[in-house]
Amino acid sequence: MTSLIIRDLHVSIETDQGTTPILRGVDLTINSGEIHAIMGPNGSGKSTLAYTIAGHPRYTVDSGSITLDGEDVLAMSVDERAKAGLFLAMQYPVEIPGVTVSNFLRTAKTALDGQAPPLRSWVKDLKTSMEALRMDAGFTERNVNEGFSGGEKKRHEIVQLELLKPKIAVLDETDSGLDVDALKIVSEGVNRVKDNTDLGVLLITHYTRILRYITPDFVHVFVDGRIAEQGGAELAERLENEGYDRYTAGAPVH
């Protein structure tokens, strides 16, 4: 079983106003096969946690630890984190002009596995994944995310998830910008990968609508860089009805 363990994590960023603390002591454990939803208002630190796990250079870890199966994640470079089994689906996937989807995916798979996948099985797996996510085969020869709609970018993220087979996936507001049909297709893709690989998922979202399709085992409410409350799927239902006012009243504003 794989475990991503975060202990007393404090993270800051440099701004024009100086050093700004964002995360203020986060404790979280994600195991194989578990789905953890992190919910909270804007500016609460949800995306900072995602990018810190992935190794974004903008964020400074002031104290605390992140380990993956006992290995120090914070000591790893970004590519080493990916090779260890961490995956980040970004809220705003970037365009990569001049790199086709096909080349991007096969190069990434080769880097992770240390050898190129057999061409015949690779083509079959890529086709199967794209069909399941309702992506036209022609997307493989387009440049990564260039000219893609918001929904197409998010579906491409899940194609990556399915083909690269990480141990732990951090999905940063994967539901952002999706219509109902695309939300259902993307959610089905996440569930399919989890069922087939025992993936551990950290799902970051503002809203409960994606949780109607991806059922969380644990819900964590993020407020002011901390986990303010934890519970099961029923906590998400309460947030749907009550919002975040009960947590944010009197909280510092950043």
Side-chain angles (χ1 to χ4, degrees):
M1 181 180 74
T2 291
S3 294
L4 178 69
I5 300 175
I6 300 168
R7 289 291 176 265
D8 196 25
L9 187 66
H10 291 252
V11 174
S12 61
I13 60 171
E14 293 298 323
T15 68
D16 292 339
Q17 289 72 43
T19 301
T20 301
I22 304 293
L23 301 184
R24 304 166 183 268
V26 175
D27 291 289
L28 188 62
T29 299
I30 303 165
N31 297 311
S32 299
E34 296 177 349
I35 296 177
H36 292 250
I38 287 188
M39 305 184 69
N42 281 328
S44 57
K46 303 185 303 298
S47 290
T48 295
L49 177 62
Y51 287 117
T52 300
I53 293 170
H56 195 296
R58 183 186 180 198
Y59 301 95
T60 300
V61 176
D62 299 309
S63 62
S65 64
I66 304 176
T67 60
L68 181 67
D69 294 336
E71 297 295 320
D72 183 4
V73 170
L74 298 177
M76 300 177 186
S77 62
V78 173
D79 62 310
E80 287 170 342
R81 297 181 196 207
K83 289 176 181 177
L86 295 175
F87 177 91
L88 172 65
M90 294 181 285
Q91 182 178 358
Y92 303 108
V94 297
E95 297 181 3
I96 310 177
V99 179
T100 65
V101 167
S102 177
N103 285 339
F104 172 77
L105 290 170
R106 196 156 195 265
T107 300
K109 184 66 172 175
T110 301
L112 288 175
D113 292 353
Q115 60 182 9
L119 189 57
R120 181 173 296 181
S121 61
W122 172 254
V123 170
K124 179 183 177 183
D125 291 345
L126 176 58
K127 180 182 178 183
T128 299
S129 181
M130 294 188 72
E131 285 178 349
L133 285 150
R134 317 281 175 85
M135 295 187 75
D136 186 271
F139 273 96
T140 61
E141 297 312 311
R142 291 176 60 179
N143 292 337
V144 174
N145 292 326
E146 198 170 49
F148 288 23
S149 69
E152 289 164 348
K153 289 179 180 180
K154 297 301 177 74
R155 293 184 204 197
H156 178 225
E157 295 278 286
I158 306 307
V159 170
Q160 295 173 47
L161 181 66
E162 192 153 30
L163 294 175
L164 301 181
K165 295 180 172 57
K167 298 174 181 177
I168 302 289
V170 181
L171 310 181
D172 187 18
E173 299 201 29
T174 295
D175 51 339
S176 176
L178 297 183
D179 61 26
V180 173
D181 290 337
L183 177 65
K184 187 175 181 181
I185 291 167
V186 164
S187 299
E188 288 172 348
V190 174
N191 288 329
R192 183 169 59 251
V193 176
K194 175 184 172 291
D195 291 343
N196 290 338
T197 67
D198 207 28
L199 177 73
V201 177
L202 178 60
L203 175 63
I204 296 170
T205 183
H206 280 297
Y207 308 109
T208 58
R209 63 178 194 148
I210 194 171
L211 303 183
R212 296 169 191 159
Y213 303 103
I214 301 175
T215 303
D217 301 294
F218 306 94
V219 174
H220 312 273
V221 182
F222 237 57
V223 178
D224 194 34
R226 300 182 180 92
I227 295 175
E229 187 172 1
Q230 304 180 85
E234 73 284 347
L235 178 54
E237 295 176 13
R238 198 177 81 203
L239 292 171
E240 173 83 355
N241 296 325
E242 300 177 3
Y244 299 109
D245 287 350
R246 67 193 299 266
Y247 303 104
T248 57
V253 177
H254 296 289

